């Protein structure tokens, strides 16, 4: 609302400048300046102050020049223009959309942020070279993969197979069993295959091709069983590949049925949707791995899969299609798409919200939950039920709590927020319950309807947004982390469905994330959990009655717990301010209900999909684009300093190549040079190749300059040195050492 605000930090240090930067990131017109240098910066104080003064003046700020120059200023001659002779020629054929505007920028109009997931017909894939492959096929119980294996072998490919069993076993020269629940079994399998002559180049994972088993198990058991054959199987496979190292390109082709909801031929099972999480995230975290999913329909009544279906799969496996999700329905090939919708603003509060309506918000005391509660309080003076596991002290203890705790105490902040909601005309009931526990939620709902009467709408915002299950590299995400994510997003939805099945509500809005659409580094479990939310809402919405909708969001500008605040991600540029997000939310309520799922992407979703899922080399920001059009080092805050040590030089070369910058200096910041987390994974994998050190991606966020990263690499290399070998080396004469080096030992 400030237009083009200017913030000036007055006093030593730059802490407030950084905080202001964080809060105004979405505000491209905001200018944030500090008046003094950073304590660790080696710069002249007067120079820093004058530079800030100059930038303030350039932005139009009124400067009191009399105060700056008590004596009248005099004119000086400026040096003439230095002709630096740098070429900025636009090469013919390179006038791509990237040169016109950054296709990955945040779009200015909220109306342009909405996308409807859909499917579109596509031509069969173009055949690539059919050189013999070395495949590992995960056999399903229905015979599809066995038919596929016969066809692949007939075509001259070398095939190994693995079936689920009670323990790891080599059951034949080319066949294995493993226990899907044991991550270690995957490692044993890959180790056994590694000793064979050639590395694998293709995995065909068919364990998610199943008969309809829902009736045979209860929901929780069915969910768990489906994860074991799908999501966890892919996760453990990726762990094993990570542990065994190796950088040979490998494609993981995941074949499933009942995953995609395209025609009425076969209803989708939301439990299977989670496997798309690893499918999207594995290639993002490991540059040498590719992965995608092919969904099929099996013939009814246990009939063997048709030769045509097996032929379609072979054609897919032999092609080089980049479509991350493909589905076959009969002879038709479909690919997943997202259609942009314009949702114009509707007059507030719109037809869907009722004056004094009664609304349940799960995760209601969280950042987003409280913003939505405020929106409902402000617009319709709602009766609000806010549910979370933690809850608040009982009301009579609030004054005491407020007086005895500092204002930054989270409980104090939540109590004050509830008081603000009530001051806006809302009635608020805060209840403590785990949304994944049926009895607790039944009791909470009974208490809520007992106090406020019938329920009119539900917003499911319960979710885990910090801790080890999110922003963690895939290798650190196992069953406990995944279960944490699945509790509110999967088991919580089963509970809500059970409790609300007989109620006719105005809406049931689920808060999902764009991580389910785009994946994202460190998001494997979060993405999977949100994929379940999307698929569950789509299924519920198809049943009629209460409109269910899953809404996929970019970041909301809400207060984040400390550790998250330190992590910069490529998603940050898409963060919505609170008014923008509430505007989008209101547009969905008034215009978008009935869709089942709506994606809210503040950046052009097609460009983001092309970058994140299809790795479109024509987009700015990809290593391929950078390599084909290197540019001069931009003007940075730090002057150029040449890398000196061999490690620094090698690192600078890697950055130059991946970022497309002609010269990278020792103190240049990866992110200021245009780096983002997807390129960060490329850096991490090059470090593995070149130095044989494995650094988590977060190292790059914590040590973002060549110099800092080189120190980290040196520390890791030092840890790997065998002290005995070092002692032996120390005994050698310079000539002996030189002879060893010349021999490359
Ligand atoms: N913030 C964003 O930028 C963003 C972006 C896209 C999507 N989303 C989605 O929006 C939702 C809200 O995000 P947020 O930023 O508000 O997160 P948040 O501040 O962490 O709040 C989430 C709330 O959910 C509650 N919760 C977690 N597990 C629960 C369970 N089993 N039963 C009941 N309550 C539970 C937590 O309270 P207790 O721990 O006390 O239970 C917490 O108050 C999440 O689902 C998230 O995935 C957020």
């Amino acid at each position: 609302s400030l237009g083009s605000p200017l913030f000036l930090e007055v006093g030593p240090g730059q802490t407030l400048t950084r905080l202001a930067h964080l809060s105004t990131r979405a505000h491209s017109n905001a200018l944030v300046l500090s008046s003094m240098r950073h304590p660790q910066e080696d710069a002249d104080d007067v120079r820093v102050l004058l530079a800030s003064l100059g930038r303030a003046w350039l932005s139009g700020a009124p400067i009191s020049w009399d105060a700056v120059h008590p004596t009248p200023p005099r004119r000086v001659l400026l040096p003439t223009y230095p002709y630096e002779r740098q070429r900025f020629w636009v090469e013919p054929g390179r006038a791509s959309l990237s040169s016109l505007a950054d296709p990955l920028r945040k779009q200015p109009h909220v109306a342009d942020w909405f996308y409807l997931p859909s499917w579109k017909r596509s031509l069969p894939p173009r055949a690539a070279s059919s050189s013999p492959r070395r495949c590992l096929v995960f056999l399903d119980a229905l015979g599809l993969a066995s038919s596929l294996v016969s066809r692949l072998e007939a075509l001259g490919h070398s095939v190994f197979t693995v079936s689920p069993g009670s323990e790891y076993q080599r059951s034949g020269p080319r066949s294995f069993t493993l226990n899907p629940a044991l991550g270690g079994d995957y490692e044993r399998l890959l180790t056994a295959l590694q000793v064979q002559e050639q590395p694998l180049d293709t995995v065909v994972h068919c364990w998610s091709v199943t008969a309809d088993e829902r009736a045979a198990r209860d929901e929780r058991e069915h969910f768990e069983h489906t994860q074991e054959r799908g999501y966890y199987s892919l996760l453990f496979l990726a762990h094993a590949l990570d542990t065994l190292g190796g950088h040979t390109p490998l494609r993981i082709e995941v074949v499933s049925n009942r995953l995609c909801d395209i025609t009425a031929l076969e209803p989708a099972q939301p439990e299977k949707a989670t496997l798309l999480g690893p499918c999207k995230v594995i290639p993002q975290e490991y540059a040498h791995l590719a992965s995608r999913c092919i969904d099929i329909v099996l013939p009814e009544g246990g009939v063997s899969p048709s030769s045509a279906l097996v032929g379609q799969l072979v054609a897919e496996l032999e092609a080089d299609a980049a479509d991350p999700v493909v589905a076959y329905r009969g002879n038709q090939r479909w690919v997943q798409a997202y259609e942009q919708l314009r949702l114009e603003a509707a007059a507030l509060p719109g037809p869907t919200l009722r004056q004094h309506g009664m609304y349940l918000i799960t995760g209601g005391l969280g950042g987003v939950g409280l913003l939505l509660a405020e929106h409902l309080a402000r617009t319709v003076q709602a009766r609000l039920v806010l549910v979370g596991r933690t809850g608040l002290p009982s009301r009579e203890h609030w004054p005491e709590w407020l007086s005895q705790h500092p204002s930054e105490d989270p409980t104090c902040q939540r109590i004050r927020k509830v008081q603000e909601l009530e001051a806006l005309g809302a009635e608020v009931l805060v209840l403590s319950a785990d949304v994944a526990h049926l009895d607790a939620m039944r009791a909470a709902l009974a208490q809520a309807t007992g106090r406020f009467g019938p329920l009119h709408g539900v917003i499911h915002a319960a979710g885990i947004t910090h801790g080890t299950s999110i922003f963690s590299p895939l290798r650190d995400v196992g069953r406990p982390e995944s279960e944490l994510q699945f509790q509110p997003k999967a088991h919580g939805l089963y509970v809500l469905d059970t409790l609300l099945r007989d109620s006719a509500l105005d809406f049931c809005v689920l808060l999902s994330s764009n991580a389910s659409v785009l994946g994202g580094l460190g998001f494997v479990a979060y993405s999977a959990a949100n994929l379940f939310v999307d698929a569950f809402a789509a299924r519920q919405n198809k049943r009629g009655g209460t409109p269910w909708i899953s809404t996929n969001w970019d970041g909301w500008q809400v207060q984040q717990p400390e550790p998250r605040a330190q992590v910069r991600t490529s998603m940050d540029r898409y963060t919505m301010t609170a008014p923008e997000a509430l505007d989008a939310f209101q547009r969905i309520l008034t215009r978008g209900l009935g869709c089942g799922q709506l994606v809210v992407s503040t950046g052009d979703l097609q460009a983001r999909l092309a970058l994140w899922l299809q790795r479109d080399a024509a987009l700015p920001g990809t290593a391929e684009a950078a390599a084909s059009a290197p540019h001069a080092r931009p003007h940075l805050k730090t002057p150029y300093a040449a890398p000196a040590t061999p490690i620094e030089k090698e690192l600078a070369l890697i950055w130059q190549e991946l970022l497309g910058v002609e010269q990278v200096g020792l103190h240049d910041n990866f992110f200021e040079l245009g780096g983002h987390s997807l390129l960060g994974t490329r850096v991490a994998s090059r470090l593995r190749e070149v130095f044989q050190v494995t650094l988590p991606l977060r190292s790059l966020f914590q040590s973002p300059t060549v110099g800092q990263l080189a120190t980290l690499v040196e520390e890791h290399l030092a840890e790997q040195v065998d002290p005995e070998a070092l002692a032996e080396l120390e005994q050698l004469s310079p000539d002996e050492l030189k002879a060893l080096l010349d021999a490359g030992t």
Side-chain angles (χ1 to χ4, degrees), residues 7 25 36 54 109 121 204 242 311 346 361 366 404 413 457 496 568 589 619 628 667 682 712:
F7 295 91
R25 226 180 343 226
M36 295 183 75
H109 305 295
R121 296 275 308 281
V204 187
D242 179 298
I361 307 182
Q404 289 181 355
Q413 290 181 348
L496 286 180
R568 284 172 65 177
L589 272 193
L619 279 168
S628 67
H667 306 302
R682 304 286 289 265
L712 216 60

Side-chain angles (χ1 to χ4, degrees), residues 11 80 94 104 150 154 200 277 434 604 614:
T80 53
R94 222 181 264 299
L104 297 169
S150 309
L200 283 178
D434 185 332
D604 178 344
Q614 288 160 349

Side-chain angles (χ1 to χ4, degrees), residues 361-372 387-391 414 431-437 441 460-466 470 484-485 487-489 492 510-515 526 530 533 551-561 564 575-576:
I361 307 182
T362 69
L365 290 180
V368 171
L370 281 171
L371 276 180
L372 291 172
V387 173
R389 289 166 306 177
T390 317
R414 288 177 188 146
L431 294 175
S432 158
D434 185 332
V435 68
H437 287 186
M441 280 303 287
H460 181 48
I464 303 295
T465 58
H466 48 272
I470 189 167
L484 262 181
Q485 285 294 334
Q487 279 305 307
K489 300 248 172 189
L510 315 182
L511 271 281
S512 176
S513 157
N514 276 340
Y526 185 63
N530 283 296
V533 171
T551 51
N552 303 75
W553 295 91
D554 275 318
W556 290 54
Q557 213 169 63
V558 287
Q559 205 179 350
Q560 294 288 356
R564 164 73 181 92
T575 303
M576 303 165 293

Side-chain angles (χ1 to χ4, degrees), residues 107-114 341 343 579-581 583-585 587 600:
Q107 300 292 323
H109 305 295
V110 176
D112 297 327
W113 291 358
F114 303 91
L341 282 185
L343 280 194
E580 285 173 341
D583 180 0
F585 180 81
R587 288 174 202 235
V600 186

Side-chain angles (χ1 to χ4, degrees), residues 569-587:
T569 79
S570 354
M571 297 286 192
D572 290 348
R573 64 159 84 181
Y574 299 115
T575 303
M576 303 165 293
T577 61
E580 285 173 341
L582 294 174
D583 180 0
F585 180 81
Q586 185 59 40
R587 288 174 202 235

Side-chain angles (χ1 to χ4, degrees), residues 24 51 95 112 195 201 243 270 298 342 349 440 647 654 692:
T24 56
D112 297 327
V195 277
D201 52 36
T243 308
L298 283 178
R342 241 190 108 77
I647 292 182
I654 293 174
Q692 281 79 49

